[in-house]
Amino acid sequence: MSKQTYPNFRILNYNKINKKWKITTICEVIIIKMIYLDNAATSFPKAIDTMRIQEIIDRTPGSINRRGYSSDYNLSSILDESRRKIKTFIGSGFEDKLIFTFNATHAINMALRGILNKNDHVLTTRYEHSAISRTLYSLTHERNISYSLLNVNTNTSEEEFEELLLNLLSPNSKMIVMTYGSNVTGDIIYKSKFGEIAHKYGLIVFVDASQAVGNIEINVKRENIDIMAFSGHKSLMGLTGTGFLYFRNNMNLPLIFTGGTGIKSEDDFIIPTEELDYEVGTMNIPGILSINQSIHFLEQNFKEVITKKSMLTKEIIKRLKAIDGIHIYGNFEAENHLPIISFNAKNLHPVNEVAIILENVYNIVTRAGIHCAPWTHKMLGTFPQGTVRISPGYFNEMEDIYTLEKALKEISLIKQI
Ligand SMILES: Cc1ncc(COP(=O)(O)O)c(C=O)c1O
């Protein structure tokens, strides 16, 4: 039987390794509490009262801003309220734009496809998610844009950054696109000084903050960010199908998606001037309701949320470092680090062995592979097998970390038996 075959390989090997991992035991283990450590993909559980959302949906016919029913006004005011709250949360001015999207990828596409024209050049990094890298790649074919990769990391100083930028800058450079923090290593890459330097050379500063918003305090104004895309379903703890695109009021962002908005319906063509112009089609009403609740939760508890996640992250790192054969990637000793840790266990495949055993034997959910970030894994030397990624959330407890530690201690012994 091939080594990778599932599920027999798993069961046969467990039986050989340790009697307690027989099928009967696996069945017992499966009914224990699931430990969810994949909050970087999407948070779970959500900081929302789903009964309350259901109640609003049940009581409220119609769509947002269609003006057909008085209940429309109710939904529109919830949308406005959420928009205002998120703007405050990210330090945006009320005159700036914050568009509700269906996820960060949707927002990234709106921004890159809206702003980049034929022959434009972009500076970016090796930490980018496929939402950025694939879109840029597509635009090289569609519009002959080009991009260059800056060799930045968490240790890059302002002087080094400027030097790297100057080496790659060309007369057609229009924008710098940077992730705020890596979805693979948790390293924080963006610095407000980088934005300041990029502005000095006339570049638009576009930050992908999908992993950062809700995990650290961000202030778009102070941090020199012109455009920022982020998810609503990750650390903002809203439902899936939510994301945002922020951009400064002075930016001209053409429409990528066109269609009905409930306003200006008599015009075939509109020049977008307000947020609603970008929110075409029927919006994700349950998602918007969930964001309204989760942002309220974060407003009340943000300090506690980030302190707890940071504490859990530090505990995980401390315990992983102490296990023989475990290698952690990135600058995990940095003071500021997102609640994301990537590691490999010596001689074990991250996907086919470590993550599968964690999930099926210990009921611990992680995410293994290349995390839609092939450039990052190539840089780390972990391509194509990837790493195992652990991302704790606010609702994890120290108990979960003890179980993870115990599991990884046992798993790391496998190839030594
Ligand atoms: C850094 C980064 N950018 C973009 C995305 C895409 O987010 P979404 O799933 O909301 O489109 C992710 C998702 O994992 C991410 O980690």
Side-chain angles (χ1 to χ4, degrees):
M1 183 162 300
S2 121
K3 191 169 172 267
Q4 312 294 346
T5 311
Y6 177 87
N8 294 341
F9 159 70
R10 178 166 62 89
I11 292 162
L12 281 175
N13 276 275
Y14 294 166
N15 288 345
K16 265 194 238 156
I17 294 159
N18 191 329
K19 281 207 175 102
K20 96 178 170 182
W21 284 354
K22 278 186 181 165
I23 303 170
T24 50
T25 313
I26 288 172
C27 292
E28 280 164 29
V29 172
I30 280 169
I31 57 166
I32 65 168
K33 177 193 154 206
M34 176 183 71
I35 297 176
Y36 184 80
L37 291 170
D38 194 16
N39 289 274
T42 196
S43 54
F44 178 83
K46 303 293 182 186
I48 57 172
D49 178 352
T50 44
M51 299 289 281
R52 169 110 184 90
I53 291 177
Q54 189 62 51
E55 198 190 306
I56 299 178
I57 291 170
D58 288 346
R59 275 194 289 110
T60 317
S63 187
I64 291 183
N65 209 41
R66 268 33 180 193
R67 307 289 190 235
Y69 317 88
S70 59
S71 52
D72 262 18
Y73 293 106
N74 188 16
L75 290 175
S76 296
S77 66
I78 293 176
L79 171 71
D80 291 344
E81 186 183 323
S82 308
R83 207 192 299 279
R84 263 198 319 276
K85 285 182 181 171
I86 302 267
K87 280 184 172 178
T88 307
F89 193 70
I90 61 168
S92 148
F94 291 116
E95 71 288 0
D96 296 328
K97 304 274 195 301
L98 183 80
I99 315 298
F100 269 85
T101 61
F102 295 110
N103 46 51
T105 306
H106 179 193
I108 288 166
N109 270 269
M110 280 171 74
L112 292 180
R113 292 177 185 281
I115 288 182
L116 295 174
N117 296 320
K118 201 159 183 257
N119 300 330
D120 281 340
H121 176 245
V122 176
L123 294 144
T124 187
T125 80
R126 293 181 204 280
Y127 287 95
E128 306 310 314
H129 185 275
S130 307
I132 300 276
S133 59
R134 282 192 173 155
T135 309
L136 287 177
Y137 183 79
S138 296
L139 289 170
T140 62
H141 293 278
E142 291 167 29
R143 299 185 195 165
N144 198 36
I145 72 132
S146 54
Y147 57 85
S148 311
L149 302 179
L150 292 156
N151 262 331
V152 289
N153 59 42
T154 47
N155 298 319
T156 307
S157 67
E158 291 154 33
E159 295 73 25
E160 286 165 341
F161 177 80
E162 186 157 10
E163 200 181 320
L164 290 169
L165 188 132
L166 283 174
N167 282 339
L168 296 174
L169 201 67
S170 72
N172 57 338
S173 299
K174 186 170 201 174
M175 179 191 269
I176 180 161
V177 185
M178 283 186 81
T179 185
Y180 200 107
S182 166
N183 71 317
V184 177
T185 59
D187 288 341
I188 294 180
I189 311 299
Y190 182 74
K191 294 188 176 95
S192 54
K193 280 282 175 195
F194 292 175
E196 195 180 312
I197 293 165
H199 279 161
K200 192 164 108 186
Y201 296 101
L203 298 171
I204 297 170
V205 177
F206 176 16
V207 172
D208 172 6
S210 302
Q211 295 295 349
V213 172
N215 275 329
I216 47 173
E217 220 171 291
I218 293 188
N219 185 300
V220 283
K221 287 262 196 251
R222 274 204 303 269
E223 296 183 56
N224 302 306
I225 298 171
D226 299 314
I227 310 178
M228 187 165 86
F230 53 105
S231 313
H233 61 98
K234 296 184 192 282
S235 297
L236 286 182
M237 295 196 272
L239 288 179
T240 48
T242 53
F244 299 91
L245 179 63
Y246 157 85
F247 58 97
R248 276 184 203 249
N249 195 30
N250 61 358
M251 296 233 28
N252 172 22
L253 182 72
L255 289 175
I256 287 305
F257 299 107
T258 50
T261 55
I263 53 169
K264 307 175 186 169
S265 296
E266 55 290 354
D267 301 326
D268 281 337
F269 173 76
I270 53 163
I271 295 173
T273 53
E274 52 190 310
E275 283 140 334
L276 289 173
D277 293 334
Y278 294 89
E279 293 168 345
V280 298
T282 303
M283 296 182 71
N284 175 4
I285 292 171
I288 291 166
L289 296 173
S290 75
I291 288 290
N292 195 262
Q293 290 187 8
S294 66
I295 193 66
H296 179 69
F297 172 82
L298 283 173
E299 280 171 343
Q300 310 283 312
N301 303 287
F302 194 44
K303 280 246 146 40
E304 189 191 322
V305 169
I306 50 179
T307 307
K308 181 165 178 199
K309 285 198 214 175
S310 163
M311 182 275 288
L312 292 171
T313 305
K314 286 187 175 134
E315 282 294 333
I316 295 171
I317 291 171
K318 187 174 98 190
R319 283 153 208 279
L320 257 60
K321 269 169 62 185
I323 302 175
D324 243 16
I326 298 253
H327 178 80
I328 313 174
Y329 296 88
N331 187 5
F332 53 86
E333 307 281 9
E335 189 43 42
N336 288 328
H337 196 274
L338 298 177
I340 295 175
I341 302 124
S342 251
F343 72 93
N344 270 324
K346 196 170 167 194
N347 299 332
L348 291 169
H349 194 285
V351 182
N352 302 336
E353 295 178 313
V354 182
I356 283 187
I357 298 172
L358 280 174
E359 181 157 359
N360 291 293
V361 178
Y362 298 95
N363 220 11
I364 298 175
V365 177
T366 60
R367 168 97 188 274
I370 59 170
H371 316 101
C372 300
W375 291 353
T376 314
H377 281 281
K378 281 180 186 163
M379 175 179 65
L380 296 173
T382 49
F383 187 86
Q385 79 283 3
T387 54
V388 185
R389 183 182 73 184
I390 302 169
S391 47
Y394 175 66
F395 296 108
N396 285 115
E397 297 300 341
M398 269 311 291
E399 280 297 311
D400 300 340
I401 311 309
Y402 300 143
T403 310
L404 174 74
E405 180 187 21
K406 179 174 171 288
L408 287 174
K409 275 186 177 160
E410 291 177 357
I411 291 170
S412 67
L413 292 177
I414 292 177
K415 286 281 160 94
Q416 295 167 33
I417 291 172

